[in-house]
Every structure is written in structure tokens, then in C-alpha cells.
Amino acid sequence: MGAGASMSCSFDLEHYREILEAARAGGYRFARFGEGPEPGDLFLRHDIDLSLDAALAMAELEAELRVQATYLLMTESVFYNLASSEGVAAIGRLRELGHPVGLHAVYPNVVLDERFDPVVSWHNPKPEHMSDEIQGAVNVYGERYFSPATYRSDSNQHWRSGCPHEELRDGAFPWLQILVHPAIWVYPGATMGRTMRALVEAESARRLAQLADDDIDLT
Ligand SMILES: [Zn+2]
Ligand SMILES: [Zn+2]
């Protein structure tokens, strides 16, 4: 990585598209959990903690670029309700776009009903349990898929080892699992704090629209 190269790597959909294009230029293949890892496999994973809207915006962009990513959705989120009409519609659209959908689970609860492919990622995992085998499902933190040299994450709007676009373009990873949180890329903000405030503002508008839809008098 060139010095300063990561400085221009903004967390927005424009650069996200560049990262995906870099991966393609580097010869990577978008792979599903349950297969591989083979040389050149790229396991693109999205843990959906906060926003189904952000997940859908990212999913549409990926579909446009013919990129497949695995979306891991929560049934125990305080931020969204997967059983609501919005949640059902979101899963339907993700499936329609060709993306696998797995469970983003709160330890130790794994209930894989018919909505989910047998793929699990833990929400805020504790190191002592995170790699344990999960009966009947692929654990994305299992030894098969999870090791520091072949893993990158954008957690808290920060790439601990730098933005991976150059290494992807150069084919420098033998294979890679990459965790991208859509809300960080869809909502504007130069820091996690600012991005989260932008998300909260968007949520406020969304909530008012939902209240109006529910025949609540907002005058
Ligand atoms: Zn970059
Ligand atoms: Zn999470």
C-alpha cells in the first residue's frame, strides 16, 4: 500500500463501487459461504445491525455490478423488525437480487427458520465462543473462513489494516472474507459519529412517515 493511498478512501457508495471493481480487476470471484475457500474467492459479507434501507441500497448497487454478497439479518435487533412488513419486503428484495440471506445472531441464540440460509455471523461476538462450530450452519467466524490474513472489516468506519482496494486490485490476497456494514457507506459522514447522526436523522423522517401511514395525527 502506498503511503497516503488510504487517505482518499471515503466511506461512500462511490468508493464502495471502486472497491468492487478493484476486486473484479484483481480476478476475484464472489463466493458463497458453504463453498471454498478456493484461491481467488471473495466472501463479501454484510452484517445488518442498524438499517434495512441501507442494506437494500447496497444490494441494488451490487446487483447492478453483478456482485453477490451474503446479507446477515437480525431477528433480535432493537433497530428494525424483520417480522414487520418492511422486514419481509427487505428479505424478498435481497433474494430477488440474488443475494444469500443468513442470520446475524445474538449469542447463543441460533434459530434458523425458513427465512435464512444456514449461515450465521455473531453480533458483537466474544472471542472465546466466536469460532465454535454451529450445529447445522456455517459459522463465518469458524476456522475455515476466519483468519487475520484473509479478513478485513470496516467496523466503526475504520479499516484496521487499511482500505483493501489496492490489494484487491493487485490480487494480493489468496482469498478474502470482507465485512462491510452498509449503513456506514450509505449515510454521509467523515467519522462514525457523524455517520450515525445522519442515520438517526434519516430514521426520524422515516418514523414520521410511518406514523402518518398508521393514521396518527401529526398536526
Ligand atoms: Zn480504498
Ligand atoms: Zn452486529
Side-chain angles (χ1 to χ4, degrees), residues 47 49 74 104 122-124:
D47 287 355
D49 297 308
M74 302 185 78
H104 191 43
W122 296 119
H123 176 60
N124 296 340

Side-chain angles (χ1 to χ4, degrees), residues 67-117:
V67 162
Q68 197 179 61
T70 300
Y71 283 78
L72 297 129
L73 304 180
M74 302 185 78
T75 55
E76 298 182 58
S77 172
V78 296
F79 294 101
Y80 64 85
N81 179 1
L82 204 55
S84 71
S85 56
E86 282 183 348
V88 172
I91 293 183
R93 185 60 184 155
L94 291 170
R95 294 276 186 205
E96 219 168 68
L97 294 171
H99 300 298
V101 175
L103 177 67
H104 191 43
V106 178
Y107 189 86
N109 307 331
V110 175
V111 181
L112 285 165
D113 59 44
E114 68 290 345
R115 292 174 290 182
F116 304 107
D117 298 335

Side-chain angles (χ1 to χ4, degrees), residues 37-56:
E38 300 283 334
D41 278 349
L42 180 57
F43 299 88
L44 180 56
R45 165 182 148 220
H46 302 305
D47 287 355
I48 308 306
D49 297 308
L50 304 174
S51 168
L52 293 172
D53 284 352
L56 290 172

Side-chain angles (χ1 to χ4, degrees), residues 9 15 163 165:
C9 291
H15 191 53
C163 176
H165 82 259

Side-chain angles (χ1 to χ4, degrees), residues 125-196:
K126 295 207 167 60
E128 61 267 32
H129 313 296
M130 66 190 284
S131 296
D132 292 354
E133 277 199 32
I134 298 171
Q135 198 67 38
V138 173
N139 177 1
V140 303
Y141 291 117
E143 278 175 26
R144 179 176 170 188
Y145 293 110
F146 186 66
S147 68
T150 52
Y151 185 79
R152 292 294 174 91
S153 162
D154 68 350
S155 291
N156 275 309
Q157 201 161 324
H158 174 69
W159 297 106
R160 227 175 298 174
S161 312
C163 176
H165 82 259
E166 285 188 32
E167 285 152 288
L168 284 169
R169 192 187 54 214
D170 298 343
F173 301 107
W175 61 272
L176 188 69
Q177 177 182 169
I178 182 168
L179 168 58
V180 168
H181 295 88
I184 293 175
W185 300 78
V186 167
Y187 294 103
T191 63
M192 188 65 173
R194 287 188 188 158
T195 303
M196 290 300 98

